[in-house]
Amino acid sequence: MSVVDHNAIDVRPRVSEAEVGDYIALLKPRVMSLVIFTALVGLVIAPGYVHPILAFTSILCIAVGAGASGALNMALEGDIDAKMSRTANRPIPRGRITAGEAMAFGLTLSFFSVMTLGVLVNWLAGALLAFTIFFYVVIYTMLLKRWTAQNIVIGGAAGALPPVVAWAAATGSLSMEPVLLFLIIFFWTPPHFWALALFRSDDYARAGVPMLPVVAGPDATRLQILLYTVVLVATAFAPWPLGYFDAVYGVVSLVLGAGMMWLAIEVYRRREGKQAVRATRRLFAFSILYLFALFATLLLEVVVRAVAPAIRAVMPLLFG
């Protein structure tokens, strides 16, 4: 018979050390902010009237769904995050939250965000939000991230869907405009994230993530960034000549596109030393501004069209 030292076995339940900030970190607030903004644009440019409460509910559900995706992503990638300097301070690698707790948190948020959007707004939007979460968690995180250098290309579809979900919430249908917004974000994602991957390639290699610079090398990545940027600039400009967006958007798209092209060319040209790192960092930073400014222009056009009649009505009273 063996003697068991019961005093050496800790049978007490684990007391979580997590604070509110740790759970907020699971939601990936920076990613969520971009999701909220692009979804807001999709909602605002949609035709027809949306009750403010339903509009708020839609954006809130999309934001919570995005946060749920982030929590589930972290629950599944704790081992990767622990090996990368960029992600080592996330709650799971630090031991603040367990993977199981993050999984339960993410699944709960996913369920309530989808059901709330479906019941209170419409089921097309709810189904699209459910598909977005599924695509990000299962297709991207579980199937693509660890196995193919095309993870960002294919997985980028999840990040491109929020304005489509918002349009569906506003109209109960789909149209070409949200598809165009989807394509802009979809083609924006590879040059944006590959620029990050170029100056973080050691991180990805250490974690065993097959990002393009790790698998194909930095020069092949620079070429892919340039090619995708060409497609992005053309795709972002196309809605103006096609008649979907106004001339102001078209001009802004051209100016911003010229900036993206110049920086992508710089990344392609500068391949050694500090200049190469500086070029990739500049492209990464500008790409965020590019997407924000492009979508902000669409939002501003809607606001101007809404207030223009009131301004025209007031002008005779002021100067008549």
Side-chain angles (χ1 to χ4, degrees), residues 30-47 50 54-67 117 121 125 128-129 132 158-171 174 177-179 181-182 185 291-292 294-296 298-299 302:
R30 286 186 295 181
V31 175
M32 185 191 289
S33 64
L34 185 60
V35 167
I36 291 172
F37 182 66
T38 57
L40 178 64
V41 172
L43 187 78
V44 170
I45 71 171
V50 182
L54 292 181
F56 174 79
T57 300
S58 300
I59 296 300
L60 179 62
C61 289
I62 293 170
V64 172
L117 188 61
V121 183
L128 286 171
L129 180 59
T132 302
L161 280 169
V164 181
V165 179
W167 181 284
T171 66
L174 295 177
E177 288 90 336
V179 172
L181 297 181
F182 170 89
I185 302 173
L291 191 66
F292 173 81
L294 207 60
F295 276 67
L298 293 172
L299 196 61
V302 173

Side-chain angles (χ1 to χ4, degrees), residues 50-129:
V50 182
H51 193 282
I53 294 179
L54 292 181
F56 174 79
T57 300
S58 300
I59 296 300
L60 179 62
C61 289
I62 293 170
V64 172
S69 299
L72 293 170
N73 172 267
M74 288 195 195
L76 294 166
E77 293 189 350
D79 59 325
I80 292 176
D81 289 344
K83 297 175 183 177
M84 298 176 62
S85 59
R86 185 173 65 89
T87 57
N89 286 324
R90 286 176 173 176
I92 294 176
R94 289 174 57 209
R96 304 285 296 180
I97 297 175
T98 67
E101 290 168 341
M103 182 67 70
F105 182 59
L107 289 174
T108 301
L109 293 182
S110 297
F111 176 79
F112 281 105
S113 62
V114 170
M115 292 302 295
T116 301
L117 188 61
V119 172
L120 297 185
V121 183
N122 66 69
W123 283 109
L124 175 61
L128 286 171
L129 180 59

Side-chain angles (χ1 to χ4, degrees), residues 52-256:
I53 294 179
L54 292 181
F56 174 79
T57 300
S58 300
I59 296 300
L60 179 62
C61 289
I62 293 170
V64 172
S69 299
L72 293 170
N73 172 267
M74 288 195 195
L76 294 166
E77 293 189 350
D79 59 325
I80 292 176
D81 289 344
K83 297 175 183 177
M84 298 176 62
S85 59
R86 185 173 65 89
T87 57
N89 286 324
R90 286 176 173 176
I92 294 176
R94 289 174 57 209
R96 304 285 296 180
I97 297 175
T98 67
E101 290 168 341
M103 182 67 70
F105 182 59
L107 289 174
T108 301
L109 293 182
S110 297
F111 176 79
F112 281 105
S113 62
V114 170
M115 292 302 295
T116 301
L117 188 61
V119 172
L120 297 185
V121 183
N122 66 69
W123 283 109
L124 175 61
L128 286 171
L129 180 59
F131 176 74
T132 302
I133 297 171
F134 170 83
F135 198 96
Y136 185 75
V137 175
V138 177
I139 305 300
Y140 171 67
T141 303
M142 297 177 67
L143 300 181
L144 298 174
K145 180 76 172 281
R146 299 173 188 258
W147 305 112
T148 174
Q150 296 301 308
N151 47 25
I152 285 299
V153 178
I154 305 169
L161 280 169
V164 181
V165 179
W167 181 284
T171 66
S173 63
L174 295 177
S175 185
M176 181 55 67
E177 288 90 336
V179 172
L180 291 170
L181 297 181
F182 170 89
L183 291 174
I184 290 169
I185 302 173
F186 181 79
F187 288 116
W188 168 86
T189 302
H192 170 73
F193 279 101
W194 282 337
L196 171 67
L198 274 174
F199 62 83
R200 292 284 190 178
S201 59
D202 291 344
D203 250 5
Y204 288 110
R206 185 165 52 251
V209 179
M211 292 295 285
L212 192 63
V214 176
V215 174
D219 289 348
T221 304
R222 289 183 172 90
L223 176 60
Q224 289 297 312
I225 287 174
L226 182 59
L227 294 176
Y228 269 94
T229 301
V230 172
V231 176
L232 166 64
V233 171
T235 302
F237 175 70
W240 177 29
L242 291 175
Y244 290 103
F245 301 149
D246 294 341
V248 173
Y249 167 86
V251 173
V252 171
S253 173
L254 281 177
V255 173
L256 292 171

Side-chain angles (χ1 to χ4, degrees), residues 259-280:
M260 278 291 292
M261 280 301 307
W262 181 73
L263 290 173
I265 292 171
E266 286 291 289
V267 169
Y268 183 75
R269 289 177 57 243
R270 303 186 184 279
R271 306 187 177 196
E272 300 290 341
K274 294 182 179 180
Q275 287 187 334
V277 175
R278 188 180 301 116
T280 56

